[in-house]
């Protein structure tokens, strides 16, 4: 004999017989959001950060590779003890990665997350 337990108030609604959650946004709602000014602002803000940072990192990386290949004398300049310029610039690749990650987190928290949270709340009917 099985007993059914009452549904918890925080449980998500059961899907209908068609397998679709009745509270999930429809395709039309997604299209409306995609065409909204707020979503456009979100995309512009993301692209305004991501594209320049990607270009900056690729230029920095390519410059390091080209210097390593064609400027051996320059890259082998001794800086401190056995540390030469090539090693220091190589480690700076890691520093650049961490810097871009930190900048992105800061940008997302300030500019992207508030907009995306509003859009999500609107789609889910929390507003």
């Amino acid at each position: 004999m099985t007993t059914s337990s009452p549904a918890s108030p925080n449980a998500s609604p059961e899907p209908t017989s068609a397998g679709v959650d009745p509270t999930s946004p429809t395709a039309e709602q997604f299209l409306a959001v995609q065409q909204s000014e707020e979503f456009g602002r979100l995309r512009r803000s993301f692209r305004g950060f991501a594209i320049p940072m990607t270009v900056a990192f690729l230029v920095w990386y390519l410059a390091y590779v080209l210097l390593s290949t064609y400027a051996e004398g320059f890259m082998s300049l001794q800086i401190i003890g056995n540390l030469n310029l090539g090693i220091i610039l190589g480690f700076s690749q890691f520093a650049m990665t961490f810097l871009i990650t930190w900048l992105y987190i800061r940008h997302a928290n300030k500019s992207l997350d508030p907009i995306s949270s509003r859009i999500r709340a609107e789609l889910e009917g929390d507003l």
Side-chain angles (χ1 to χ4, degrees):
M1 175 178 206
T2 61
T3 60
S4 62
S5 61
S8 72
N10 295 334
S12 60
E14 291 295 321
T16 62
S17 59
V20 177
D21 182 353
T23 61
S24 66
T26 64
E28 292 80 20
Q29 289 171 311
F30 279 116
L31 286 173
V33 166
Q34 184 181 13
Q35 295 167 356
S36 71
E37 175 59 34
E38 193 168 36
F39 187 74
R41 197 170 349 119
L42 177 66
R43 286 177 32 176
R44 282 189 303 275
S45 182
F46 173 75
R47 289 178 180 166
F49 179 86
I51 292 172
M53 284 296 134
T54 301
V55 169
F57 184 78
L58 290 175
V59 166
W60 177 241
Y61 179 74
L62 183 61
Y64 175 73
V65 170
L66 291 174
L67 285 170
S68 297
T69 305
Y70 297 109
E72 291 178 32
F74 177 69
M75 294 294 272
S76 63
L77 289 174
Q78 297 295 319
I79 303 298
I80 301 171
N82 288 333
L83 287 178
N84 62 26
L85 187 60
I87 299 264
I88 292 172
L89 291 178
F91 281 126
S92 74
Q93 295 288 318
F94 292 103
M96 181 77 146
T97 302
F98 291 121
L99 175 66
I100 290 173
T101 301
W102 175 75
L103 289 171
Y104 177 76
I105 290 170
R106 201 176 84 179
H107 173 71
N109 287 338
K110 180 182 170 200
S111 302
L112 303 177
D113 291 348
I115 298 171
S116 63
S117 293
R118 281 193 304 271
I119 290 172
R120 181 178 179 175
E122 190 177 300
L123 270 176
E124 292 178 348
D126 293 342
L127 290 179

